[in-house]
């Protein structure tokens, strides 16, 4: 499986994907990294691993079509057949979503379908979780479709919410399990163990 990672930030999930590949837990390769932010840590991590890294933002283009055409040719040139969003804060153009239908995943730092959607990113997610007073949170890997944080859920894991949690302490606890379940979900794809039927998706166990 030839993965393109799209990331806007520090890239710790991207790093976890690279580690899983390195340790033989994920039979795949990251062929390129795309970021809408030139300063993203994810781009630096890519360069340090000699992985092609590109800064691409819609504002660099005359039209939405030109943006999509450029992203599409980048993905094709690098033989990409799978996209992993890892802290990517832009919506992927609909044309790419349909071209890579069921081959795009995202990781979200809460238990979807709660605490997702527009504006629910970064610390805002954990603030909302704490404000709601729920006792568990977690991380979700889901397929990406045209709607924000709404594609079929593939894998979730929970963490406890503790009475003295701040958004930062909760974020750190959730991030640890993100780094476990994202490579796991990608490995399931790479090994052909993902079943998708309409709005539902499952990971089948190893035989
Ligand atoms: C993670 O919390 C992820 O769930 C969310 O954005 C954050 C990215 O962190 N979508 P990193 O850049 O992978 O460290």
């Amino acid at each position: 499986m030839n993965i393109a990672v799209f990331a806007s930030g520090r890239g710790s999930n991207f790093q976890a994907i690279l580690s899983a590949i390195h340790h033989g837990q994920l039979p795949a390769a990251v062929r390129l990294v795309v970021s809408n932010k030139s300063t993203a840590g994810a781009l630096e991590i890519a360069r340090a691993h000699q992985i092609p890294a590109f800064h691409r933002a819609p504002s660099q283009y005359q039209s939405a079509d030109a943006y999509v055409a450029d992203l599409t040719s980048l993905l094709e040139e690098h033989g990409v057949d799978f996209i992993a969003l890892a802290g990517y804060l832009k919506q992927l153009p609909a044309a790419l979503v349909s071209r890579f239908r069921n081959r795009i995943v995202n990781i979200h730092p809460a238990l979807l379908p709660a605490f997702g959607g527009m504006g629910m990113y970064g610390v805002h997610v954990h603030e909302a979780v704490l404000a709601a007073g729920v006792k568990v949170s977690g991380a979700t890997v889901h397929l990406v479709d045209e709607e924000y944080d709404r594609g079929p859920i593939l894998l979730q894991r929970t963490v406890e919410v503790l009475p003295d949690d701040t958004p930062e302490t909760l974020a750190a606890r959730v991030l640890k399990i993100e780094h476990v379940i994202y490579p796991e979900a990608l490995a399931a794809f790479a090994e052909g163990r993902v079943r998708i039927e309409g709005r539902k998706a499952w990971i089948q166990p190893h035989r």
Side-chain angles (χ1 to χ4, degrees):
M1 189 162 84
N2 294 305
I3 304 173
V5 171
F6 281 62
S8 302
R10 74 198 144 180
S12 72
N13 276 286
F14 167 41
Q15 181 68 67
I17 291 167
L18 289 181
S19 303
I21 292 171
H22 181 76
H23 289 104
Q25 295 153 347
L26 170 53
V30 177
R31 296 290 177 211
L32 83 159
V33 174
V34 176
S35 181
N36 59 309
K37 290 236 167 78
S38 61
T39 54
L43 291 176
E44 280 173 41
I45 296 171
R47 291 183 189 118
H49 288 84
Q50 284 83 47
I51 295 169
F54 299 93
H55 169 224
R56 292 288 188 276
S59 58
Q60 297 165 321
Y61 299 85
Q62 306 273 18
S63 68
D65 285 352
Y67 171 56
V68 171
D70 185 41
L71 284 184
T72 305
S73 62
L74 264 186
L75 296 172
E76 275 176 2
E77 277 162 29
H78 292 85
V80 166
D81 53 27
F82 198 94
I83 298 175
L85 308 184
Y88 189 60
L89 295 177
K90 287 265 168 229
Q91 193 144 13
L92 214 57
L96 278 187
V97 173
S98 90
R99 189 183 183 98
F100 285 85
R101 175 88 47 209
N102 292 341
R103 307 288 294 167
I104 311 175
V105 290
N106 180 43
I107 182 134
H108 185 77
L111 297 173
L112 293 175
F115 308 111
M118 267 300 205
M120 279 293 176
Y121 62 89
V123 77
H124 306 298
V125 177
H126 306 292
E127 281 168 357
V129 166
L130 293 178
V134 294
K135 302 301 179 251
V136 289
S137 189
T140 302
V141 179
H142 65 95
L143 287 153
V144 171
D145 63 13
E146 285 76 4
E147 253 189 291
Y148 234 70
D149 292 338
R150 277 292 176 183
I153 290 170
L154 197 60
L155 185 57
Q156 295 185 302
R157 203 148 298 159
T158 57
V159 300
E160 251 189 294
V161 178
L162 301 176
D164 52 0
D165 262 333
T166 63
E168 291 72 26
T169 59
L170 179 57
R173 195 173 310 119
V174 171
L175 191 65
K176 272 196 197 156
I177 60 158
E178 292 184 37
H179 296 165
V180 176
I181 69 169
Y182 210 7
E184 260 182 52
L186 291 170
F189 265 104
E191 292 163 0
R193 291 187 290 111
V194 173
R195 234 177 79 202
I196 302 165
E197 280 171 27
R199 299 254 342 126
K200 296 221 173 117
W202 296 267
I203 291 179
Q204 295 174 309
H206 289 103
R207 288 212 193 136

